[in-house]
Amino acid sequence: MIGVAALEARVPGFALQATSFTVPAGGVAVVTGPTGAGKTTLLEVIAGVRPSSGGTITLAQRDVTRLPPEARDVGLVYQSAWLFPHLSVRDNIAYGARRDAVVRELVDTLQLESLLGKPVETLSGGERQQVAIARALAREPRTLLLDEPFAAMDGVLRDAIRSQVLAWAAARDVTTMLVTHDASESAGAEGVQLRVERGVVTASR
C-alpha cells in the first residue's frame, strides 16, 4: 500500500501542499494534472528522491519517511527512461535484479527479446521506455511509481504494454502510481484518482 498523511515538500519555486491519501496494497492510483502542477514532485517525494518537509509516507506497511531511496523498495520510471548508456539492453534490465528468472519472464512479457544485444543509443524512445520499465520491475519492488512511461510508444503498443505492466503488478500485489496525460488511461482506470493542481492533490475514487 501507499499511504501519505499531511505530506508536504518544497523545491525551488514550488511547494507541494499538505496532502493525504491511501492506495490499497496491489491497487493503482492514476495521477493527472497540467504540466508543472507537481505530479513528478509527488512521485519523487514518495520515492525519497526529493525530501519531504512535513507529513509521513508509508509503503507496504512501513513508515519510510526518513529512509533513503534505496531502502524504500520502490521502482521509479521516468518518461525520459534514463538508461545506463554504457550497458547493453540486457545488462540494463538485469541491473539490480534479484533473480534471473524474473529478467527472462519480463523479456518475454514486454517483447524485448530482439533488443537484448543492442546498445541503448540505438533504441527508439518507446523502446527505451520498455527497457526502463523492465529494469524497474526486475528489481521486484513492492511499490511502482510510473511517470508517463508509455508516452513515447505508439497507440497499439502503448495499450498492450500498459495492460501487461499493470497486470504484472497486480498479480504480485505491487502498489502502483501512474502519472499520465492520456485521458483514456485516466477514464478507463479503476482505483484511486489523484488530480494535482498547483501543488494541491485531490483524491477521489
Side-chain angles (χ1 to χ4, degrees), residues 22-119:
T22 301
V23 186
V28 178
V30 176
V31 186
T32 60
T35 300
K39 303 183 297 298
T40 298
T41 299
L42 175 63
L43 263 60
E44 290 180 334
V45 172
I46 292 171
V49 176
R50 291 188 183 274
S52 58
S53 56
T56 59
I57 304 168
T58 302
L59 300 179
Q61 310 299 329
R62 292 190 306 149
D63 184 342
V64 302
T65 310
R66 304 300 173 208
L67 295 182
E70 62 272 18
R72 297 192 183 196
D73 201 9
V74 168
L76 174 61
V77 182
Y78 288 101
Q79 180 178 352
S80 53
W82 299 113
L83 301 179
F84 300 118
H86 61 292
L87 299 180
S88 68
V89 168
R90 184 191 302 275
D91 290 339
N92 263 278
I93 296 171
Y95 187 89
R98 299 172 183 176
R99 296 184 293 153
D100 289 342
V102 174
V103 174
R104 291 193 296 271
E105 186 176 355
L106 284 165
V107 167
D108 290 339
T109 299
L110 299 180
Q111 307 167 36
L112 295 171
E113 183 68 39
S114 64
L115 304 180
L116 290 182
K118 291 186 176 182

Side-chain angles (χ1 to χ4, degrees), residues 179-195:
V179 171
T180 181
H181 277 105
D182 187 331
S184 65
E185 286 183 348
S186 175
E190 296 182 2
V192 179
Q193 300 279 333
L194 301 174
R195 178 73 180 177

Side-chain angles (χ1 to χ4, degrees), residues 49 119-120 124 162 171 190 195 202:
V49 176
V120 297
S124 69
R162 180 179 65 239
E190 296 182 2
R195 178 73 180 177
T202 305

